[in-house]
Amino acid sequence: MLSFFIFLRGVSLILNVYFAYAALVRKEIQDETDRMTGKTKQISPVPIHLSIYSPNVVNLTLIDLPGLTKVAVEGQPESIVQDIETMVRSYVEKPNCVILAISPANQDIATSDAIKLSREVDPSGERTFGVLTKLDLMDKGTNALDVLEGRSYRLQHPWVGIVNRSQADINKNVDMIVARRKEREYFATSPDYGHLANKMGSEYLAKLLSKHLESVIRARIPSITSLINKSIEELESEMDHLGRPVAVDAGAQLYTILELCRAFDRIFKEHLDGGRPGGDRIYGVFDNQLPAALRKLPFDRHLSLQNVRRVVSEADGYQPHLIAPEQGYRRLIEGALNYFRGPAEASVDAVHFVLKELVRKSIGETQELKRFPTLQAEIAAASNEALERFREDSKKTVIRLVDMESSYLTVEFFRRLPQEVEKGGNPAGNPASVTVDRYTEGHFRRIGSNVSSYINMVSETLKNTIPKAVVYCQVREAKQSLLNHFYTQIGRKEAKQLSQLLDEDPALMERRQQCAKRLELYKSARDEIDSVSWAR
C-alpha cells in the first residue's frame, strides 16, 4: 500500500501550488528524479525544490515524500523499505511540521502506514490531518463515513475526503480545473457524503491547511520575531567585524590604512603594558636569563692560579713589579670584562625575539586587519624592519656599557691595593723577603681574589644597566615609533598603491556579501511578520 506525507513549515520558503499546472509539475519532478537517480526505481534523500507562482492560490510549502513500501521490487535494493521510512521519519519528526497523512478509502484504515507513523511522531495529533482518497472507487454498498465522521479513528482535526482524477482522466490529460469541478459535483450529489460536501474536496483541504498554518504562525510570531531579531544582531555584529566595503577615494583609503595601523599599534602596546599576555617575557629576560648568563661566565678559569700567574708575569716583562702589578691587574680585569659582551648581546636578541613575536600576535589579534592580507604583510615587514634598527642601536649601547667599564677602572679599587700589601707586613724584616713573597702562590691567589671582587662589582652594575639600555633602545622605541617610518612611506603612496594595500581576502569579501544578503532577508521577514502582527 502506498502512503505518503506532505508537511508544511511555517517560516520556510513559500511554494505556491496551482493545480492547473499539475502536468508541468509532474513532468519536471519526473525529469529531475531521472537526473538524480537514473531511470530506475531508486530513491534519493536529495530534495527537489520546485517553485510555482500563481495569484489564484494560497501560499504553502509542500514536501511530497515517497510512499512507504512493504517490499523491494525489481531494480531496488533490499534496504529500500527501511531507507524510505528513515527518510520520511526524519521530516515528520520535526515539531514545526504539519503532517498530511493520506490513506485510500477502499482499504482498512487500521492498516494505514501513514496513520501508524504519524501516531508515533505526533501522539497528541496536533500536527496530523487525515485524508481519505479513492472514495469513488469503494465497493457498492460501502462508504467511509465511519472514518470521515471520526467514529472509526478519531483525529484532533477533522478527516477530509478527496476524489482525484482516475487513470483514464490522467491518460486523457483532463484539465485539473475540470477535475476539481467533477470532485465538487461528486460530493454534492453523493447520497453518502452530500451532508459533508462543504467539508470535503481538495479545495476545502487547501483552505483548511492554509487556515491552520496561519494560526500556527500567529501563535509562534513572538518566538519567531525574537529569533529573527537575534539573528539580525548576530549578523550586524559580524558585519562590523568584517568591516564595511572599502572606499575608492584615495583620502578615505589613507584614513582607513592609518586607522588599521592604530588598531594594531594599540593591541601591540597592550601586550607590552600588561593588558594582554606576552610583555612579561621581557621581564623574564632581565630577571632570569641575564643573571643566569652572568653566573655562567668562565671567571673561575680566567682567574685560576695558573692564568693569574701567567698574565701577571707577562705584564711585568723583564722588570718585576715593585709595589702592585698594575698592568697585570688591568689585563686580568679587561680580559674578564670582555666576557660580559656575550650576555649583553644575548639579552638584546632575546628581547628582539619577544618583540617580533608580539608583533605577529598583535597582527593576528587585530580583527580589522584580517580583511587585508596585503596590508598585514606590509605592517609586519615594516614592524620587523623597525625592530631590527632598534636591536642594532641597543647592541651598540650595551657594548658601550661594557667597554666603558673596561676603559676606566675604579680608582678607589687601586688605592686599596698598596694598603692591603702593607697590612700583610714583613715578618722577616728583610726587603728581599717581600720580593719573594710577591711571587708566592698566596700572592697570586690574592690578586685573583681582588680581581674577582672587582668583576662581581661590575657584574652587579651591568645587571642593572643592561636592562635599562635594552628597554630604552628597544621596548620604549617600539612603543613610541614602531610604525613611524611606515607612516612616512604610506603618505607618499599613490591611490593605486593604496588600493593594493586594501586588497581584501576574497573569502572575506564573499562572506560579507553572504551576510549582507541574509541580513536583508531577515529584515524583510521581520517587516512581513510585523505587518501580520498589526493586522490581527
Side-chain angles (χ1 to χ4, degrees), residues 233-292:
E233 291 177 3
E234 292 175 350
L235 285 172
E236 288 179 339
S237 176
E238 184 173 359
M239 289 288 288
D240 290 337
H241 278 91
L242 294 174
R244 303 300 173 183
V246 179
V248 295
D249 177 70
Q253 290 177 344
L254 178 60
Y255 176 80
T256 299
I257 292 174
L258 294 177
E259 284 296 305
L260 293 170
C261 291
R262 293 189 188 99
F264 154 75
D265 193 52
R266 181 175 61 256
I267 293 177
F268 178 70
K269 289 178 180 177
E270 288 177 0
H271 278 291
L272 291 177
D273 294 333
R276 295 172 185 258
D280 55 310
R281 293 170 58 193
I282 295 176
Y283 174 76
V285 172
F286 302 145
D287 193 53
N288 299 315
Q289 185 171 323
L290 177 59

Short mmCIF file of all heavy atoms in Angstrom, two decimals, residues 233-292:
data_model
loop_
_atom_site.label_atom_id
_atom_site.label_comp_id
_atom_site.label_asym_id
_atom_site.label_seq_id
_atom_site.Cartn_x
_atom_site.Cartn_y
_atom_site.Cartn_z
N GLU A 233 20.94 40.76 14.97
CA GLU A 233 22.01 41.29 15.82
C GLU A 233 23.33 40.57 15.57
O GLU A 233 24.39 41.21 15.49
CB GLU A 233 21.61 41.16 17.29
CG GLU A 233 20.47 42.09 17.71
CD GLU A 233 20.06 41.86 19.16
OE1 GLU A 233 20.71 41.03 19.82
OE2 GLU A 233 19.11 42.52 19.61
N GLU A 234 23.27 39.26 15.44
CA GLU A 234 24.49 38.49 15.19
C GLU A 234 25.10 38.84 13.85
O GLU A 234 26.32 38.98 13.72
CB GLU A 234 24.18 36.99 15.26
CG GLU A 234 23.82 36.50 16.65
CD GLU A 234 23.39 35.05 16.66
OE1 GLU A 234 23.20 34.48 15.55
OE2 GLU A 234 23.22 34.48 17.77
N LEU A 235 24.25 38.98 12.83
CA LEU A 235 24.76 39.33 11.50
C LEU A 235 25.33 40.74 11.49
O LEU A 235 26.38 40.99 10.86
CB LEU A 235 23.64 39.20 10.47
CG LEU A 235 23.25 37.77 10.08
CD1 LEU A 235 22.01 37.78 9.21
CD2 LEU A 235 24.40 37.11 9.33
N GLU A 236 24.67 41.69 12.15
CA GLU A 236 25.19 43.05 12.20
C GLU A 236 26.52 43.10 12.94
O GLU A 236 27.43 43.84 12.56
CB GLU A 236 24.17 43.97 12.85
CG GLU A 236 22.96 44.26 11.96
CD GLU A 236 21.95 45.16 12.64
OE1 GLU A 236 21.97 45.24 13.89
OE2 GLU A 236 21.13 45.78 11.93
N SER A 237 26.62 42.29 14.01
CA SER A 237 27.89 42.23 14.73
C SER A 237 28.99 41.64 13.85
O SER A 237 30.13 42.15 13.84
CB SER A 237 27.73 41.37 15.99
OG SER A 237 28.95 41.22 16.66
N GLU A 238 28.65 40.61 13.09
CA GLU A 238 29.64 40.02 12.19
C GLU A 238 30.02 40.99 11.09
O GLU A 238 31.19 41.07 10.68
CB GLU A 238 29.10 38.72 11.60
CG GLU A 238 30.11 37.99 10.73
CD GLU A 238 29.64 36.63 10.28
OE1 GLU A 238 28.52 36.23 10.65
OE2 GLU A 238 30.39 35.96 9.54
N MET A 239 29.04 41.75 10.60
CA MET A 239 29.33 42.75 9.57
C MET A 239 30.29 43.82 10.11
O MET A 239 31.17 44.30 9.40
CB MET A 239 28.03 43.41 9.09
CG MET A 239 27.16 42.51 8.24
SD MET A 239 27.82 42.22 6.59
CE MET A 239 27.54 43.81 5.83
N ASP A 240 30.11 44.18 11.38
CA ASP A 240 31.02 45.15 11.99
C ASP A 240 32.44 44.60 12.05
O ASP A 240 33.42 45.33 11.83
CB ASP A 240 30.55 45.52 13.40
CG ASP A 240 29.27 46.36 13.37
OD1 ASP A 240 29.02 47.00 12.31
OD2 ASP A 240 28.54 46.38 14.37
N HIS A 241 32.55 43.30 12.37
CA HIS A 241 33.88 42.68 12.40
C HIS A 241 34.48 42.57 11.01
O HIS A 241 35.68 42.77 10.83
CB HIS A 241 33.80 41.29 13.04
CG HIS A 241 33.79 41.32 14.54
ND1 HIS A 241 32.62 41.38 15.27
CD2 HIS A 241 34.80 41.33 15.45
CE1 HIS A 241 32.91 41.41 16.56
NE2 HIS A 241 34.21 41.39 16.70
N LEU A 242 33.64 42.22 10.05
CA LEU A 242 34.13 42.11 8.68
C LEU A 242 34.46 43.46 8.09
O LEU A 242 35.34 43.58 7.22
CB LEU A 242 33.08 41.40 7.80
CG LEU A 242 32.80 39.94 8.13
CD1 LEU A 242 31.65 39.42 7.28
CD2 LEU A 242 34.04 39.09 7.91
N GLY A 243 33.79 44.49 8.58
CA GLY A 243 34.04 45.84 8.07
C GLY A 243 33.19 46.17 6.86
O GLY A 243 32.71 45.28 6.14
N ARG A 244 33.01 47.43 6.67
CA ARG A 244 32.24 47.88 5.52
C ARG A 244 33.11 47.85 4.26
O ARG A 244 34.33 47.81 4.34
CB ARG A 244 31.71 49.30 5.76
CG ARG A 244 30.87 49.41 7.03
CD ARG A 244 29.66 48.50 6.98
NE ARG A 244 28.93 48.45 8.23
CZ ARG A 244 27.88 47.69 8.46
NH1 ARG A 244 27.44 46.89 7.51
NH2 ARG A 244 27.28 47.70 9.64
N PRO A 245 32.50 47.90 3.08
CA PRO A 245 33.29 47.91 1.84
C PRO A 245 34.28 49.07 1.82
O PRO A 245 34.02 50.14 2.36
CB PRO A 245 32.21 48.06 0.76
CG PRO A 245 30.97 47.49 1.38
CD PRO A 245 31.05 47.83 2.84
N VAL A 246 35.42 48.83 1.19
CA VAL A 246 36.49 49.82 1.16
C VAL A 246 36.12 50.98 0.23
O VAL A 246 35.58 50.77 -0.86
CB VAL A 246 37.80 49.16 0.67
CG1 VAL A 246 38.93 50.18 0.61
CG2 VAL A 246 38.17 48.01 1.58
N ALA A 247 36.42 52.19 0.68
CA ALA A 247 36.15 53.38 -0.15
C ALA A 247 37.10 53.43 -1.33
O ALA A 247 38.20 52.86 -1.30
CB ALA A 247 36.29 54.64 0.70
N VAL A 248 36.68 54.11 -2.38
CA VAL A 248 37.52 54.23 -3.57
C VAL A 248 38.32 55.52 -3.58
O VAL A 248 39.28 55.66 -4.33
CB VAL A 248 36.64 54.16 -4.85
CG1 VAL A 248 35.98 52.79 -4.97
CG2 VAL A 248 35.56 55.25 -4.84
N ASP A 249 37.96 56.46 -2.73
CA ASP A 249 38.67 57.73 -2.66
C ASP A 249 40.03 57.53 -1.97
O ASP A 249 40.13 56.86 -0.95
CB ASP A 249 37.83 58.75 -1.89
CG ASP A 249 38.56 60.08 -1.71
OD1 ASP A 249 38.74 60.78 -2.73
OD2 ASP A 249 38.96 60.37 -0.59
N ALA A 250 41.09 58.14 -2.53
CA ALA A 250 42.44 57.96 -2.00
C ALA A 250 42.55 58.48 -0.57
O ALA A 250 43.19 57.85 0.28
CB ALA A 250 43.45 58.67 -2.90
N GLY A 251 41.93 59.61 -0.30
CA GLY A 251 41.98 60.17 1.04
C GLY A 251 41.32 59.25 2.05
O GLY A 251 41.84 59.02 3.15
N ALA A 252 40.16 58.69 1.68
CA ALA A 252 39.46 57.77 2.57
C ALA A 252 40.26 56.48 2.76
O ALA A 252 40.29 55.91 3.86
CB ALA A 252 38.07 57.46 2.01
N GLN A 253 40.92 56.03 1.70
CA GLN A 253 41.74 54.83 1.81
C GLN A 253 42.92 55.06 2.74
O GLN A 253 43.26 54.20 3.56
CB GLN A 253 42.23 54.41 0.42
CG GLN A 253 41.13 53.86 -0.48
CD GLN A 253 41.63 53.52 -1.87
OE1 GLN A 253 42.71 53.96 -2.27
NE2 GLN A 253 40.85 52.75 -2.60
N LEU A 254 43.55 56.23 2.63
CA LEU A 254 44.67 56.55 3.52
C LEU A 254 44.20 56.60 4.96
O LEU A 254 44.87 56.08 5.87
CB LEU A 254 45.29 57.89 3.11
CG LEU A 254 46.45 58.39 3.98
CD1 LEU A 254 47.59 57.39 3.97
CD2 LEU A 254 46.92 59.76 3.51
N TYR A 255 43.05 57.19 5.16
CA TYR A 255 42.50 57.26 6.52
C TYR A 255 42.23 55.85 7.06
O TYR A 255 42.53 55.55 8.23
CB TYR A 255 41.20 58.07 6.51
CG TYR A 255 40.50 58.14 7.85
CD1 TYR A 255 40.93 59.01 8.83
CD2 TYR A 255 39.42 57.29 8.12
CE1 TYR A 255 40.29 59.06 10.07
CE2 TYR A 255 38.77 57.32 9.35
CZ TYR A 255 39.21 58.22 10.31
OH TYR A 255 38.58 58.26 11.53
N THR A 256 41.69 54.98 6.21
CA THR A 256 41.40 53.60 6.63
C THR A 256 42.68 52.87 7.01
O THR A 256 42.74 52.18 8.04
CB THR A 256 40.69 52.84 5.49
OG1 THR A 256 39.46 53.49 5.18
CG2 THR A 256 40.42 51.40 5.89
N ILE A 257 43.73 53.05 6.20
CA ILE A 257 45.00 52.38 6.50
C ILE A 257 45.57 52.86 7.82
O ILE A 257 46.03 52.06 8.65
CB ILE A 257 46.01 52.63 5.35
CG1 ILE A 257 45.54 51.90 4.09
CG2 ILE A 257 47.40 52.17 5.75
CD1 ILE A 257 46.38 52.20 2.86
N LEU A 258 45.53 54.17 8.06
CA LEU A 258 46.05 54.71 9.31
C LEU A 258 45.25 54.22 10.51
O LEU A 258 45.82 53.92 11.57
CB LEU A 258 46.06 56.25 9.25
CG LEU A 258 47.00 56.88 8.21
CD1 LEU A 258 46.86 58.39 8.22
CD2 LEU A 258 48.45 56.47 8.50
N GLU A 259 43.93 54.13 10.34
CA GLU A 259 43.11 53.62 11.43
C GLU A 259 43.43 52.16 11.73
O GLU A 259 43.48 51.74 12.90
CB GLU A 259 41.62 53.76 11.07
CG GLU A 259 41.09 55.17 11.18
CD GLU A 259 41.13 55.66 12.62
OE1 GLU A 259 40.58 54.99 13.50
OE2 GLU A 259 41.75 56.72 12.86
N LEU A 260 43.67 51.36 10.70
CA LEU A 260 44.03 49.96 10.89
C LEU A 260 45.39 49.85 11.59
O LEU A 260 45.58 48.99 12.46
CB LEU A 260 44.06 49.25 9.54
CG LEU A 260 42.71 49.08 8.83
CD1 LEU A 260 42.91 48.58 7.41
CD2 LEU A 260 41.81 48.13 9.61
N CYS A 261 46.32 50.72 11.21
CA CYS A 261 47.63 50.72 11.85
C CYS A 261 47.52 51.09 13.32
O CYS A 261 48.19 50.51 14.18
CB CYS A 261 48.58 51.69 11.14
SG CYS A 261 49.07 51.18 9.48
N ARG A 262 46.67 52.05 13.61
CA ARG A 262 46.48 52.46 15.02
C ARG A 262 45.85 51.33 15.83
O ARG A 262 46.19 51.14 17.00
CB ARG A 262 45.62 53.72 15.09
CG ARG A 262 46.29 54.96 14.50
CD ARG A 262 45.47 56.21 14.79
NE ARG A 262 46.01 57.36 14.09
CZ ARG A 262 45.53 57.85 12.95
NH1 ARG A 262 44.47 57.29 12.38
NH2 ARG A 262 46.09 58.89 12.37
N ALA A 263 44.93 50.61 15.20
CA ALA A 263 44.31 49.48 15.90
C ALA A 263 45.35 48.42 16.24
O ALA A 263 45.38 47.87 17.36
CB ALA A 263 43.20 48.87 15.04
N PHE A 264 46.23 48.12 15.29
CA PHE A 264 47.32 47.17 15.54
C PHE A 264 48.26 47.70 16.62
O PHE A 264 48.64 46.98 17.55
CB PHE A 264 48.10 46.93 14.25
CG PHE A 264 49.53 46.52 14.47
CD1 PHE A 264 49.84 45.23 14.89
CD2 PHE A 264 50.56 47.43 14.28
CE1 PHE A 264 51.16 44.85 15.11
CE2 PHE A 264 51.88 47.06 14.50
CZ PHE A 264 52.18 45.77 14.92
N ASP A 265 48.64 48.98 16.52
CA ASP A 265 49.57 49.58 17.47
C ASP A 265 49.00 49.57 18.89
O ASP A 265 49.72 49.34 19.87
CB ASP A 265 49.89 51.02 17.03
CG ASP A 265 51.09 51.58 17.78
OD1 ASP A 265 52.14 50.91 17.79
OD2 ASP A 265 50.97 52.68 18.36
N ARG A 266 47.69 49.78 18.99
CA ARG A 266 47.06 49.76 20.30
C ARG A 266 47.15 48.37 20.95
O ARG A 266 47.47 48.25 22.14
CB ARG A 266 45.59 50.18 20.17
CG ARG A 266 44.85 50.23 21.49
CD ARG A 266 43.44 50.77 21.32
NE ARG A 266 42.62 49.95 20.44
CZ ARG A 266 42.31 50.26 19.18
NH1 ARG A 266 42.73 51.40 18.64
NH2 ARG A 266 41.57 49.44 18.44
N ILE A 267 46.90 47.34 20.17
CA ILE A 267 46.98 45.97 20.69
C ILE A 267 48.43 45.62 21.04
O ILE A 267 48.70 44.97 22.07
CB ILE A 267 46.39 44.99 19.67
CG1 ILE A 267 44.89 45.22 19.54
CG2 ILE A 267 46.68 43.54 20.06
CD1 ILE A 267 44.21 44.35 18.50
N PHE A 268 49.36 46.06 20.22
CA PHE A 268 50.78 45.81 20.48
C PHE A 268 51.20 46.43 21.82
O PHE A 268 51.89 45.80 22.63
CB PHE A 268 51.62 46.37 19.34
CG PHE A 268 53.10 46.20 19.52
CD1 PHE A 268 53.69 44.95 19.44
CD2 PHE A 268 53.91 47.30 19.77
CE1 PHE A 268 55.07 44.80 19.61
CE2 PHE A 268 55.27 47.17 19.94
CZ PHE A 268 55.86 45.91 19.86
N LYS A 269 50.76 47.65 22.08
CA LYS A 269 51.10 48.33 23.34
C LYS A 269 50.43 47.63 24.52
O LYS A 269 51.00 47.58 25.62
CB LYS A 269 50.67 49.79 23.28
CG LYS A 269 51.52 50.63 22.34
CD LYS A 269 51.03 52.06 22.27
CE LYS A 269 51.90 52.89 21.33
NZ LYS A 269 51.39 54.28 21.18
N GLU A 270 49.23 47.10 24.30
CA GLU A 270 48.56 46.37 25.38
C GLU A 270 49.36 45.13 25.78
O GLU A 270 49.40 44.76 26.95
CB GLU A 270 47.15 45.98 24.95
CG GLU A 270 46.18 47.16 24.87
CD GLU A 270 44.81 46.74 24.36
OE1 GLU A 270 44.63 45.54 24.07
OE2 GLU A 270 43.93 47.61 24.23
N HIS A 271 50.01 44.49 24.80
CA HIS A 271 50.86 43.35 25.12
C HIS A 271 52.06 43.79 25.96
O HIS A 271 52.45 43.11 26.91
CB HIS A 271 51.34 42.68 23.84
CG HIS A 271 50.35 41.75 23.23
ND1 HIS A 271 50.01 40.55 23.81
CD2 HIS A 271 49.62 41.82 22.09
CE1 HIS A 271 49.12 39.92 23.06
NE2 HIS A 271 48.86 40.68 22.01
N LEU A 272 52.64 44.92 25.61
CA LEU A 272 53.82 45.39 26.33
C LEU A 272 53.47 45.88 27.73
O LEU A 272 54.20 45.63 28.70
CB LEU A 272 54.50 46.53 25.55
CG LEU A 272 55.19 46.13 24.24
CD1 LEU A 272 55.75 47.36 23.55
CD2 LEU A 272 56.31 45.13 24.51
N ASP A 273 52.35 46.57 27.86
CA ASP A 273 51.98 47.19 29.13
C ASP A 273 51.26 46.25 30.08
O ASP A 273 50.95 46.63 31.21
CB ASP A 273 51.13 48.43 28.89
CG ASP A 273 51.91 49.53 28.18
OD1 ASP A 273 53.14 49.55 28.34
OD2 ASP A 273 51.29 50.35 27.47
N GLY A 274 50.91 45.04 29.62
CA GLY A 274 50.29 44.08 30.52
C GLY A 274 48.81 43.90 30.32
O GLY A 274 48.20 43.07 31.01
N GLY A 275 48.17 44.65 29.42
CA GLY A 275 46.75 44.44 29.16
C GLY A 275 46.50 43.12 28.48
O GLY A 275 45.42 42.53 28.61
N ARG A 276 47.49 42.63 27.75
CA ARG A 276 47.45 41.32 27.09
C ARG A 276 48.72 40.57 27.44
O ARG A 276 49.74 41.18 27.76
CB ARG A 276 47.33 41.48 25.57
CG ARG A 276 46.02 42.12 25.11
CD ARG A 276 46.06 42.42 23.62
NE ARG A 276 44.87 43.13 23.17
CZ ARG A 276 43.86 42.56 22.53
NH1 ARG A 276 43.91 41.28 22.24
NH2 ARG A 276 42.82 43.28 22.16
N PRO A 277 48.71 39.23 27.37
CA PRO A 277 49.91 38.47 27.77
C PRO A 277 51.04 38.62 26.76
O PRO A 277 50.82 38.92 25.59
CB PRO A 277 49.38 37.02 27.79
CG PRO A 277 48.23 37.02 26.85
CD PRO A 277 47.59 38.38 26.98
N GLY A 278 52.27 38.42 27.24
CA GLY A 278 53.44 38.44 26.35
C GLY A 278 54.52 39.38 26.81
O GLY A 278 55.71 39.06 26.74
N GLY A 279 54.14 40.57 27.27
CA GLY A 279 55.14 41.54 27.69
C GLY A 279 55.93 41.08 28.89
O GLY A 279 57.09 41.50 29.08
N ASP A 280 55.36 40.20 29.70
CA ASP A 280 56.07 39.72 30.88
C ASP A 280 57.29 38.89 30.52
O ASP A 280 58.20 38.72 31.34
CB ASP A 280 55.11 38.88 31.74
CG ASP A 280 54.48 37.74 30.94
OD1 ASP A 280 53.95 38.02 29.84
OD2 ASP A 280 54.51 36.60 31.41
N ARG A 281 57.36 38.40 29.29
CA ARG A 281 58.52 37.63 28.86
C ARG A 281 59.77 38.51 28.78
O ARG A 281 60.89 38.01 28.95
CB ARG A 281 58.24 36.98 27.51
CG ARG A 281 57.16 35.90 27.57
CD ARG A 281 56.74 35.45 26.18
NE ARG A 281 57.88 34.96 25.42
CZ ARG A 281 57.84 34.75 24.11
NH1 ARG A 281 56.73 35.00 23.43
NH2 ARG A 281 58.90 34.29 23.48
N ILE A 282 59.59 39.79 28.53
CA ILE A 282 60.73 40.70 28.52
C ILE A 282 61.32 40.81 29.92
O ILE A 282 62.55 40.80 30.11
CB ILE A 282 60.31 42.09 27.98
CG1 ILE A 282 59.88 41.97 26.52
CG2 ILE A 282 61.44 43.11 28.12
CD1 ILE A 282 59.36 43.26 25.91
N TYR A 283 60.44 40.94 30.91
CA TYR A 283 60.91 40.97 32.29
C TYR A 283 61.65 39.68 32.63
O TYR A 283 62.65 39.69 33.35
CB TYR A 283 59.73 41.17 33.24
CG TYR A 283 60.10 41.06 34.69
CD1 TYR A 283 60.78 42.09 35.34
CD2 TYR A 283 59.80 39.91 35.41
CE1 TYR A 283 61.15 41.98 36.67
CE2 TYR A 283 60.15 39.79 36.74
CZ TYR A 283 60.82 40.82 37.38
OH TYR A 283 61.18 40.71 38.69
N GLY A 284 61.17 38.55 32.09
CA GLY A 284 61.83 37.28 32.32
C GLY A 284 63.26 37.26 31.79
O GLY A 284 64.14 36.63 32.38
N VAL A 285 63.50 37.96 30.69
CA VAL A 285 64.87 38.06 30.15
C VAL A 285 65.78 38.73 31.16
O VAL A 285 66.92 38.29 31.41
CB VAL A 285 64.86 38.83 28.81
CG1 VAL A 285 66.30 39.11 28.35
CG2 VAL A 285 64.11 38.06 27.75
N PHE A 286 65.31 39.82 31.76
CA PHE A 286 66.13 40.59 32.70
C PHE A 286 66.24 39.90 34.06
O PHE A 286 67.29 39.98 34.72
CB PHE A 286 65.54 41.98 32.89
CG PHE A 286 65.41 42.76 31.62
CD1 PHE A 286 64.35 43.63 31.42
CD2 PHE A 286 66.34 42.61 30.60
CE1 PHE A 286 64.23 44.34 30.24
CE2 PHE A 286 66.23 43.32 29.42
CZ PHE A 286 65.17 44.18 29.23
N ASP A 287 65.19 39.24 34.49
CA ASP A 287 65.16 38.69 35.84
C ASP A 287 65.74 37.28 35.91
O ASP A 287 66.20 36.87 36.97
CB ASP A 287 63.72 38.68 36.35
CG ASP A 287 63.64 38.43 37.84
OD1 ASP A 287 64.32 39.16 38.59
OD2 ASP A 287 62.89 37.53 38.25
N ASN A 288 65.70 36.55 34.81
CA ASN A 288 66.17 35.17 34.82
C ASN A 288 67.32 34.92 33.85
O ASN A 288 68.38 34.42 34.23
CB ASN A 288 65.01 34.23 34.48
CG ASN A 288 63.87 34.33 35.48
OD1 ASN A 288 64.09 34.34 36.67
ND2 ASN A 288 62.65 34.40 34.98
N GLN A 289 67.09 35.26 32.59
CA GLN A 289 68.05 34.89 31.56
C GLN A 289 69.38 35.62 31.72
O GLN A 289 70.45 34.99 31.67
CB GLN A 289 67.46 35.19 30.18
CG GLN A 289 68.32 34.72 29.02
CD GLN A 289 67.59 34.85 27.69
OE1 GLN A 289 66.39 34.63 27.61
NE2 GLN A 289 68.31 35.24 26.66
N LEU A 290 69.35 36.93 31.91
CA LEU A 290 70.59 37.71 32.04
C LEU A 290 71.38 37.30 33.29
O LEU A 290 72.59 37.02 33.18
CB LEU A 290 70.28 39.20 32.05
CG LEU A 290 71.47 40.14 32.26
CD1 LEU A 290 72.51 39.94 31.17
CD2 LEU A 290 71.01 41.60 32.33
N PRO A 291 70.78 37.24 34.48
CA PRO A 291 71.55 36.82 35.65
C PRO A 291 72.12 35.42 35.50
O PRO A 291 73.26 35.16 35.93
CB PRO A 291 70.54 36.89 36.80
CG PRO A 291 69.51 37.87 36.34
CD PRO A 291 69.42 37.69 34.88
N ALA A 292 71.35 34.51 34.90
CA ALA A 292 71.85 33.14 34.71
C ALA A 292 73.05 33.13 33.78
O ALA A 292 74.04 32.40 34.01
CB ALA A 292 70.74 32.25 34.16
#
